[in-house]
């Protein structure tokens, strides 16, 4: 999933909450402007990312998934649960 902003929700006062399950994923986050510098962090199974407040409209995305890095799913893979309020 490439670098993007979550803008479809309408009311940006609500955070977007994201739960990673299964294989490790390389999460990249930058700033509100697409050209802003980015940082990357590996998300592991059970990690939760909250994009709220000043970070609500930051660009973000998943660059890589480390296949087979988790034993949660029998054939590897990653599940992402995203909770967002759509007004
Ligand atoms: O898979 C992820 O951890 C990120 C998901 C995401 O950025 C989105 O659903 O907008």
């Amino acid at each position: 999933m490439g670098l993007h902003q979550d803008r479809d929700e309408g009311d940006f006062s609500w955070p977007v909450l994201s739960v990673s399950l299964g294989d490790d994923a390389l999460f990249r986050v930058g700033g509100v402007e697409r050209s802003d510098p980015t940082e990357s962090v590996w998300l592991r199974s059970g990690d939760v990312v909250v994009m709220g407040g000043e970070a609500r409209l930051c660009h973000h995305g998943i660059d890589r998934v480390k296949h087979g890095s988790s034993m949660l799913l029998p054939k590897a893979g990653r599940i992402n649960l995203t909770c967002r309020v759509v007004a």
Side-chain angles (χ1 to χ4, degrees), residues 7-39:
R7 282 191 160 276
D8 291 338
E9 296 80 14
D11 181 351
F12 302 142
S13 63
W14 290 96
V16 172
L17 183 147
S18 170
V19 181
S20 291
L21 297 172
D23 286 350
D24 299 351
L26 188 58
F27 179 76
R28 185 151 58 104
V29 62
V32 173
E33 302 299 328
R34 193 176 176 82
S35 56
D36 286 342
T38 63
E39 291 180 35

Side-chain angles (χ1 to χ4, degrees), residues 1-2 4-6 9 16-20 25-27 43 49 51 60-62 65 78-84:
M1 177 179 282
H4 66 279
Q5 289 174 303
D6 290 337
E9 296 80 14
V16 172
L17 183 147
S18 170
V19 181
S20 291
L26 188 58
F27 179 76
L43 298 179
V49 173
M51 307 277 300
H60 60 282
I62 297 292
V65 174
R78 176 173 186 262
I79 298 170
N80 170 251
L81 302 175
T82 299
C83 303
R84 59 184 90 232

Side-chain angles (χ1 to χ4, degrees), residues 36-72:
D36 286 342
T38 63
E39 291 180 35
S40 296
V41 60
W42 281 99
L43 298 179
R44 305 196 63 197
S45 191
D47 284 349
V48 176
V49 173
V50 178
M51 307 277 300
E54 290 181 12
R56 176 62 182 77
L57 289 174
C58 286
H59 285 78
H60 60 282
I62 297 292
D63 285 336
R64 280 180 55 200
V65 174
K66 207 181 284 178
H67 184 83
S69 51
S70 161
M71 294 171 56
L72 182 71

